[in-house]
């Protein structure tokens, strides 16, 4: 184990040439980031998760009830032992061949069976109330941490001149503000990483998991090798758009459609401008070029920049989805009635599941089902016409 730790903490990987861990030990005159400082983030992540539970139960839930957001979930599928067995033991998305077999066995038409499986899948989705509470928690944290970051950074020289991130590197003392900012952000993203398995399941689960891993790795990397100054810039820049998307989702759940559309438009503009404009021009420029000029590259420098570039690729992917979603709304000519959060797959948006037909209970016999084939296909989960199919079911 000692050999593994010595290999992992090799100074030639983590630190610039001619710098050792002994040079960065805390003294009476200066305090530097220490890897063991990050151990505090694990119990703090658990505390944040517990605070979230209390917040959602005693603050977010009463707010939701005040906005008349009901706890009722999706309409339940009609009980059927045969279909339930297929759903739980075989597949939740039966193919055409299986649907035809079930149709003959039950004397139901295929469309009715498809509707039953759709309703049954929707039964496992959380209620709008649960979604609102989750979004309100995230909105509150992002608003707080972004406000803290802005108030702290506006007093620092590296906000106005990014070369200050590298002058006298790595002998830059750790301030109380930077330490608090880092530990709180790391704790929150650790709590998100693990709560992702218990939260509302989204279509972009794996992408968000990769995002959380990349974010946590960046926080740890930049703290351990004392790139904390540029790290604070990265964190503050990313928190800005997160505030707006959570606010937009809350407006969506409260059926404030005009406010939802406005907030989403503001989010899209801020997200694309900050992640595709400010981030590469401001952040990547200083980590790739200014740091090369002032400090020079070393092994962990390459890894750190590789993670930043990976983050930029995720930004590009999400920006493409946001633009695609907006273009789809405009091309449909139903911007006023269309809800962007129903089909957006950006990094913080829900995929609001809905059928492409109504969810009336399936009839017991095949000859009754024909009456349902002409039902309206455009009802969204919140009662708004969307005019487009939902990706959850396709």
């Amino acid at each position: 184990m000692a050999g593994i730790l010595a290999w992992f903490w090799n100074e030639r990987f983590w630190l610039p040439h001619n710098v050792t861990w002994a040079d960065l030990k805390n003294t009476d005159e200066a305090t530097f980031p220490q890897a063991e400082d990050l151990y505090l983030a694990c119990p703090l992540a658990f505390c944040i998760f517990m605070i979230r539970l209390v917040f959602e139960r005693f603050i977010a839930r009463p707010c939701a009830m005040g906005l008349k957001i009901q706890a009722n979930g999706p309409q339940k599928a009609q009980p059927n032992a045969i279909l339930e067995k297929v759903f739980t033991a075989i597949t939740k998305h039966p193919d055409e061949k299986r649907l035809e077999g079930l149709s003959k066995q039950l004397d139901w038409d295929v469309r009715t069976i498809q509707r039953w499986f759709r309703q049954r899948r929707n039964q496992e989705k959380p209620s709008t109330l649960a979604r609102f509470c989750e979004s309100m928690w995230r909105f509150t944290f992002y608003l707080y941490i972004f406000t803290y970051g802005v108030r702290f950074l506006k007093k620092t020289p590296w906000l106005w001149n990014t070369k200050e991130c590298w002058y006298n590197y790595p002998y830059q003392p750790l301030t109380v503000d930077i330490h608090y900012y880092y530990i709180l952000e790391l704790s929150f993203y650790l709590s998100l990483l693990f709560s992702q398995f218990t939260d509302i399941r989204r279509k972009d689960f794996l992408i968000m998991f990769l995002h959380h891993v990349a974010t946590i790795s960046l926080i740890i990397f930049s703290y351990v090798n004392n790139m904390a100054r540029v790290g604070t810039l990265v964190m503050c820049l990313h928190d800005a758009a997160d505030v707006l998307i959570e606010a937009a989702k809350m407006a969506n759940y409260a059926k404030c459609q005009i406010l939802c559309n406005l907030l989403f438009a503001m989010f899209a503009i801020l997200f694309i401008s900050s992640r595709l404009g400010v981030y590469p021009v401001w952040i990547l420029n200083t980590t790739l070029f200014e740091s090369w000029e002032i400090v020079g590259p070393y092994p962990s420098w390459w890894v750190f920049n590789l993670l930043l570039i990976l983050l930029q690729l995720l930004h590009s992917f999400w920006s493409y989805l946001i633009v695609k979603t907006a273009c789809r709304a405009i091309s449909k000519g139903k911007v006023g009635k269309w809800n962007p959060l129903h089909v957006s797959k950006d990094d913080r948006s829900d995929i609001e599941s809905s059928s492409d037909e109504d969810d009336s209970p399936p009839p017991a016999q095949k000859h009754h089902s024909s009456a349902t084939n002409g039902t309206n296909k455009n009802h969204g989960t919140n009662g708004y016409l969307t005019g487009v199919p939902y990706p959850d079911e396709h």
Side-chain angles (χ1 to χ4, degrees):
M1 181 59 69
I4 293 174
L5 290 175
W7 168 81
F8 182 80
W9 294 111
N10 191 304
E11 294 166 341
R12 299 284 59 80
F13 172 79
W14 288 97
L15 301 174
H17 187 60
N18 292 331
V19 179
T20 67
W21 292 120
D23 298 331
L24 298 178
K25 287 294 184 182
N26 293 333
T27 64
D28 293 337
E29 291 78 21
T31 300
F32 299 102
Q34 306 295 315
E36 53 266 26
D37 295 345
L38 300 178
Y39 295 153
L40 178 63
C42 293
L44 189 57
F46 176 77
C47 292
I48 288 177
F49 181 75
M50 298 306 296
I51 292 172
R52 169 189 169 174
L53 297 180
V54 174
F55 178 90
E56 290 184 357
R57 175 66 179 85
F58 296 103
I59 298 178
R61 187 181 179 90
C63 289
M65 301 301 287
L67 293 171
K68 302 188 185 308
I69 298 175
Q70 301 299 319
N72 299 333
Q75 181 179 353
K76 293 186 177 181
Q78 175 180 318
N80 186 289
I82 295 175
L83 296 180
E84 185 68 26
K85 184 177 180 179
V86 173
F87 183 88
T88 56
I90 302 176
T91 178
K92 297 181 180 181
H93 298 269
D95 56 23
E96 184 177 348
K97 183 178 180 180
R98 191 177 298 278
L99 287 171
E100 290 176 355
L102 290 171
S103 176
K104 295 177 181 178
Q105 185 178 359
L106 296 173
D107 196 26
W108 289 10
D109 74 359
V110 171
R111 197 170 185 81
T112 301
I113 297 175
Q114 287 177 324
R115 185 182 298 112
W116 187 95
F117 274 93
R118 181 165 45 251
Q119 289 180 335
R120 183 63 182 83
R121 287 192 298 269
N122 287 340
Q123 278 182 221
E124 300 186 342
K125 298 182 183 298
S127 65
T128 303
L129 178 64
R131 294 172 185 267
F132 179 90
C133 291
E134 179 187 324
S135 288
M136 187 172 179
W137 159 250
R138 295 192 183 198
F139 168 80
T140 303
F141 179 85
Y142 287 134
L143 181 62
Y144 166 74
I145 201 66
F146 175 68
T147 304
Y148 175 85
V150 170
R151 293 184 62 185
F152 156 63
L153 285 171
K154 70 180 183 181
K155 297 180 292 184
T156 64
W158 60 87
L159 176 66
W160 315 106
N161 179 12
T162 52
K163 288 186 177 181
E164 292 287 344
C165 294
W166 312 109
Y167 292 148
N168 196 37
Y169 176 83
Y171 305 106
Q172 298 165 343
L174 178 70
T175 65
V176 174
D177 288 331
I178 293 178
H179 180 262
Y180 174 79
Y181 197 15
Y182 257 80
I183 295 299
L184 194 58
E185 285 272 16
L186 179 58
S187 302
F188 179 72
Y189 278 102
L190 283 173
S191 71
L192 284 186
L193 181 67
F194 295 111
S195 65
Q196 191 178 6
F197 295 93
T198 59
D199 281 347
I200 299 160
R201 186 82 174 197
R202 294 180 172 86
K203 296 286 285 187
D204 58 354
F205 174 87
L206 291 178
I207 297 175
M208 284 309 303
F209 184 82
L210 178 62
H211 172 270
H212 293 333
V213 171
T215 302
I216 291 169
S217 300
L218 278 167
I219 292 173
I220 294 173
F221 256 84
S222 60
Y223 188 86
V224 169
N225 62 9
N226 203 14
M227 291 183 179
R229 291 186 176 184
V230 72
T232 57
L233 300 180
V234 175
M235 292 188 295
C236 188
L237 180 65
H238 282 73
D239 290 335
D242 294 334
V243 175
L244 289 175
I245 190 59
E246 298 301 338
K249 288 195 288 186
M250 287 193 295
N252 174 40
Y253 302 141
K255 299 184 180 181
C256 299
Q257 189 61 21
I258 296 177
L259 179 60
C260 171
N261 292 342
L262 176 63
L263 289 170
F264 184 83
M266 293 170 60
F267 159 77
I269 294 171
L270 180 60
F271 184 94
I272 294 173
S273 61
S274 62
R275 309 293 175 94
L276 298 188
V278 178
Y279 181 82
V281 172
W282 193 41
I283 301 297
L284 292 183
N285 177 65
T286 190
T287 60
L288 286 171
F289 303 111
E290 292 179 348
S291 65
W292 182 295
E293 177 186 344
I294 298 171
V295 180
Y298 51 97
S300 69
W301 179 94
W302 290 101
V303 175
F304 181 67
N305 278 287
L306 183 64
L307 289 170
L308 289 175
I309 292 172
L310 171 62
L311 211 54
Q312 180 61 65
L313 294 176
L314 291 174
H315 295 163
S316 302
F317 173 73
W318 286 320
S319 297
Y320 160 75
L321 290 176
I322 292 172
V323 172
K324 181 181 177 181
T325 298
C327 290
R328 181 185 300 175
I330 296 172
S331 66
K332 292 290 182 180
K334 297 184 178 181
V335 178
K337 298 181 180 179
W338 178 79
N339 190 337
L341 294 181
H342 284 172
V343 296
S344 173
K345 294 183 184 177
D346 57 83
D347 63 329
R348 292 294 181 269
S349 71
D350 285 291
I351 301 298
E352 300 291 346
S353 175
S354 177
S355 62
D356 56 356
E357 56 196 339
D358 77 342
D359 288 333
S360 57
Q365 298 296 329
K366 182 175 181 179
H367 63 274
H368 292 302
S369 63
S370 59
T372 66
N373 290 345
T375 53
N376 193 331
K377 298 183 180 182
N378 292 324
H379 287 288
T381 53
N382 283 352
Y384 299 109
L385 296 177
T386 63
V388 293
Y390 291 95
D392 257 348
E393 299 300 337
H394 299 285

